[in-house]
Amino acid sequence: MKNIIKRSVQLLSGIILFASCSKNFIEKQPFDSLPDEEAIVDESSMENAVSGMYANLRAVGAYGRDMPVIGDVQSDNAFIEASNSGRYIANYQFNFTSANDEYTDIWNKSYTTILRANRIIDADISGGDVPLLKAQAYAVRGLMYFKLVNIYARPYTDNPDGAGVPVILHYDPYTQPERNTVKEVYAQIISDLEQGFATADGYSNSITLSKYAIEGLLARAYLYMGDKAKAKAAAVDVINNSEFSLVGADSYNDFWKDAGVHTDGVETMFEVDVDLINNNGSDDFSGIYADNYQDIYCTQELYNLYSPTDVRASVLIPDYTKAGVPAVIVYKFPNAISTKDRDNIKVIRLSEVYLIAAEASLPGNETDARNYLNAVAVTRDPDFTGYTSSGNELLEDIITERRKELAFEGDRFYDLNRLKRAITREADPASIPGPLQINYDNYHRVAPIPLSELQANPNIDQNPGYQ
């Protein structure tokens, strides 16, 4: 799936734009038609469409940077240094508006990807690998709706009947959709992921959504819904029956240095492909942390959570002097300026599935919770003998281990949201000014519906607090 995609398609509120890969050039086409080269008429053209769908995930406004960066910069994991390039400042300071570029781009790119998935799903062809290709489209659509509903709506466990995001399942150039409820969006997420899981192929590489990678996403969705029984069942099935294995402590650093596509089933279940040809140039995800802009740093509080023998600390560089004060560089993604390959962007790893199984085991089965938790913790820190905690302390250990394991992969902010916890930061002399306490009821904990969408669609409502 390394095809160069020359056009991307955007649908929402009756406006269809067809764009080249260049972020600075947009070519408008008739809104009620599709270019001939994008028509799906046989298996070969469907394969091209699937490649285009995957390529859309690489956009700066999707997994290519905004989604994973915001998930950490709006949390307690990271800060923006005082001398910066001007990126993500409003997000870090929680003073963004409905005109925020990042949230506008995320909305547009997500629905672009959904449109591509819809076209694949609705294509009236059969035979060959068509069912396998459609399975990937179902899974990507479910993934996009999962991201959208967690960015632009309150968590499922807050109010399932609250406003979610529009669910669009078919091509319609005239649609001006209302927002579906959070419950309705999750019903679609589960349906799509289950459909994908039922018909997907086995694992072949890390940049294609395979059967058990999809089930891992299903486990995550159930966890966010608060359905621990189904979350655990899906996670345990992945752990027991999939091709995936945890990366060992002695290979952990090399694992992150290796920017290539994985075919060995070690750790990475699904990632977005980025290489020397297909990338976002200086705007690549890894460049915001190191080598290019180096704007965002690890907080000292997070760094101090790792023991000296924890291999996860090896991808963080402490005691680095920036603007005259110490800072911790994030070097988990070290290939921003590589001349061989660029860092692929992790979407789901096996370690997260273990931690889902651990959290979903509580409160009923603390033995299972500790076993799944320690499978990750002891693998990452060979000198650690394992957690022996119970009750609420055990839950806190799981949440902390999840924070340490998934740091800078875009999960922490949304974990704090689903857990309805305040974001508590420590002041850092290298950081720009920003709030040190962002309570759960702060309206900025939910992203605004983009102003451009509100202006184009009279049927959509804004989130509370935004103009």
Side-chain angles (χ1 to χ4, degrees), residues 30 37-38 71 73 101 117 128 163 182 209 257 280 290 337 407 416-418 449:
E37 67 268 26
E38 296 211 352
V73 83
D101 287 342
V182 172
L209 273 161
K257 288 180 181 177
N280 295 314
I337 56 175
L416 291 171
N417 274 0
R418 72 178 175 86
I449 303 299

Side-chain angles (χ1 to χ4, degrees), residues 276-466:
L276 287 181
I277 297 174
N278 303 295
N279 62 68
N280 295 314
S282 61
D283 286 329
D284 259 2
F285 164 62
S286 55
I288 200 73
Y289 288 111
D291 293 325
N292 287 338
Y293 300 114
Q294 204 171 100
D295 282 353
I296 302 173
Y297 289 75
C298 173
T299 63
Q300 192 67 45
E301 183 259 338
L302 171 58
Y303 182 75
N304 290 342
L305 292 178
Y306 300 100
S307 75
T309 55
D310 192 323
V311 294
R312 291 170 295 195
S314 67
V315 295
L316 302 171
I317 303 175
D319 302 322
Y320 180 83
T321 300
K322 188 70 176 180
V325 294
V328 179
I329 293 179
V330 178
Y331 216 60
K332 202 172 187 177
F333 321 104
N335 296 290
I337 56 175
S338 171
T339 58
K340 295 181 179 179
D341 204 348
R342 298 289 175 87
D343 296 288
N344 291 342
I345 303 155
K346 306 295 187 281
V347 176
I348 187 165
R349 296 190 287 116
L350 184 62
S351 56
E352 181 185 354
V353 177
Y354 272 92
L355 295 172
I356 290 171
E359 187 177 343
S361 294
L362 296 179
N365 192 329
E366 292 190 348
T367 299
D368 276 3
R370 282 188 293 268
N371 287 340
Y372 291 122
L373 171 63
N374 287 327
V376 176
V378 175
T379 299
R380 298 295 182 252
D381 188 349
D383 286 357
F384 181 51
T385 57
Y387 291 98
T388 59
S389 51
S390 61
N392 189 65
E393 183 182 356
L394 176 56
L395 174 61
E396 292 305 312
D397 287 337
I398 294 169
I399 299 305
T400 298
E401 199 64 30
R402 184 175 169 92
R403 181 185 181 189
K404 291 158 64 179
E405 178 66 22
L406 302 178
F408 309 107
E409 296 176 56
D411 293 272
R412 178 63 174 172
F413 176 66
Y414 304 103
D415 273 342
L416 291 171
N417 274 0
R418 72 178 175 86
L419 295 167
K420 303 178 187 177
R421 298 187 178 189
I423 298 167
T424 304
R425 297 164 165 172
E426 292 184 354
D428 193 294
S431 176
I432 63 170
L436 301 182
Q437 180 88 3
I438 306 97
N439 292 329
Y440 175 70
D441 60 2
N442 186 313
Y443 73 88
H444 282 104
R445 293 288 291 265
V446 179
I449 303 299
L451 178 61
S452 57
E453 182 63 28
L454 295 170
Q455 292 172 335
N457 181 2
N459 297 323
I460 198 164
D461 296 323
Q462 182 57 279
N463 284 319
Y466 296 102

Side-chain angles (χ1 to χ4, degrees), residues 10 96 157 246 268 273 309 349 373 401:
Q10 176 179 322
F96 44 83
T157 51
L246 293 170
T268 304
D273 185 30
T309 55
R349 296 190 287 116
L373 171 63
E401 199 64 30

Side-chain angles (χ1 to χ4, degrees), residues 225-248:
M225 290 176 68
D227 191 334
K228 291 186 174 182
K230 290 182 178 179
K232 182 177 179 180
V236 171
D237 190 43
V238 172
I239 292 167
N240 291 341
N241 297 311
S242 77
E243 309 89 340
F244 301 107
S245 60
L246 293 170
V247 63

